[in-house]
Amino acid sequence: MRDTPYDCVLLDYHLPDMNAEEVLDELYKVSNFPTCPVVVVTGSEKGDKIHGTKLLHAGAQDYIGKNWLTPEGLTRAVENAVERFALSNKRVRTDEALRKSEERLAMGMQVAGLALAEVDYATGLTHLSVEAAKMFGLGELAITLPRAAVHATFHPDDSAELKKFIAQALDTDGLGWFRMDHRVIWPNGQIRWLRVRKQVFFVGEDTTRRPDHAILVALDIT
């Protein structure tokens, strides 16, 4: 059973009450993605290319000019449109599934009280989510800071051991992760206990192997 009511719609550019671009606009108003592929038959030879480019941008999968319309050409245009539609539809569904998955993950982390941060070792920057920025006392919004700025929040009594674990995790011959409970000091002097789990991801092989990025998950256990 196919997913759409029609295999393909063959649409004349000039209609009694609107043109093909307006029809496509209406189709996309109903849904972010049309229910079936559309091939538009354009008018004058001079305007075919201009109309065709606009139609593809408007959402048509293909177009063909009346002046160069042949049975073979029409068949090819319809087949191309169906194939393009299938690929686009698959991409839209994948993107939608990814969006929903990310929403569920964000909701789950929020309910669990978890914060997420990502370290980019190529740039030396750490990207903190809203929750992570709050936990480390670095603001109320998602923020990107140098790694050193995050390390500066470590409690002096925990800093040396924590940095040792970080170095071991970055060692290409090591496990690539660590877990530790440690304290951070907020700008107002308040001390908070965090439980962190950090996983480092490497790129390259043998002598070229190096840390690329890391994901850190934190939980406030104060």
Side-chain angles (χ1 to χ4, degrees):
M1 181 180 292
R2 60 178 182 241
D3 296 329
T4 63
Y6 308 103
D7 291 321
C8 184
V9 168
L10 193 60
L11 180 64
D12 194 357
Y13 185 86
H14 294 288
L15 300 171
D17 52 350
M18 62 177 64
N19 61 38
E21 290 177 53
E22 293 169 330
V23 172
L24 288 166
D25 184 57
E26 290 299 320
L27 286 175
Y28 278 90
K29 282 181 180 178
V30 176
S31 171
N32 290 330
F33 198 75
T35 57
C36 64
V38 177
V39 175
V40 180
V41 180
T42 61
S44 65
E45 184 175 0
K46 183 178 180 181
D48 280 348
K49 188 173 182 180
I50 297 175
H51 285 160
T53 301
K54 290 182 178 180
L55 290 165
L56 293 178
H57 288 158
Q61 278 65 52
D62 208 345
Y63 69 95
I64 190 167
K66 292 179 180 178
N67 293 299
W68 40 282
L69 179 63
T70 64
E72 295 80 10
L74 181 58
T75 298
R76 186 165 54 251
V78 170
E79 289 174 345
N80 288 341
V82 171
E83 183 177 355
R84 289 174 184 169
F85 179 84
L87 291 173
S88 297
N89 194 23
K90 182 178 179 181
R91 184 177 65 249
V92 168
R93 290 183 178 183
T94 300
D95 291 345
E96 179 66 14
L98 178 60
R99 183 187 65 79
K100 290 182 178 179
S101 177
E102 290 175 342
E103 288 178 353
R104 288 194 295 268
L105 175 61
M107 180 63 71
M109 294 189 67
Q110 184 178 9
V111 171
L114 298 175
L116 191 67
E118 182 174 3
V119 183
D120 185 338
Y121 292 110
T123 62
L125 298 175
T126 300
H127 310 282
L128 299 117
S129 66
V130 172
E131 295 77 12
K134 291 178 180 179
M135 282 190 192
F136 283 90
L138 295 172
E140 298 292 320
L141 300 173
I143 191 171
T144 298
L145 295 169
R147 290 176 61 208
V150 179
H151 293 183
T153 66
F154 300 163
H155 192 285
D157 293 344
D158 299 332
S159 182
E161 183 179 11
L162 186 52
K163 289 179 180 179
K164 180 185 73 174
F165 282 134
I166 293 173
Q168 290 174 347
L170 293 175
D171 187 343
T172 55
D173 294 324
L175 295 175
W177 69 274
F178 75 88
R179 180 175 58 201
M180 180 180 174
D181 296 348
H182 71 88
R183 289 162 289 181
V184 294
I185 302 179
W186 287 4
N188 63 5
Q190 186 177 357
I191 297 174
R192 309 291 295 184
W193 275 96
L194 304 183
R195 175 165 293 162
V196 299
R197 171 67 157 81
K198 186 175 185 179
Q199 179 70 55
V200 180
F201 299 88
F202 297 86
V203 294
E205 299 292 338
D206 300 327
T207 58
T208 63
R209 183 173 166 81
R210 59 177 177 80
D212 179 67
H213 69 283
I215 299 295
L216 181 142
V217 178
L219 175 67
D220 191 329
I221 58 171
T222 304

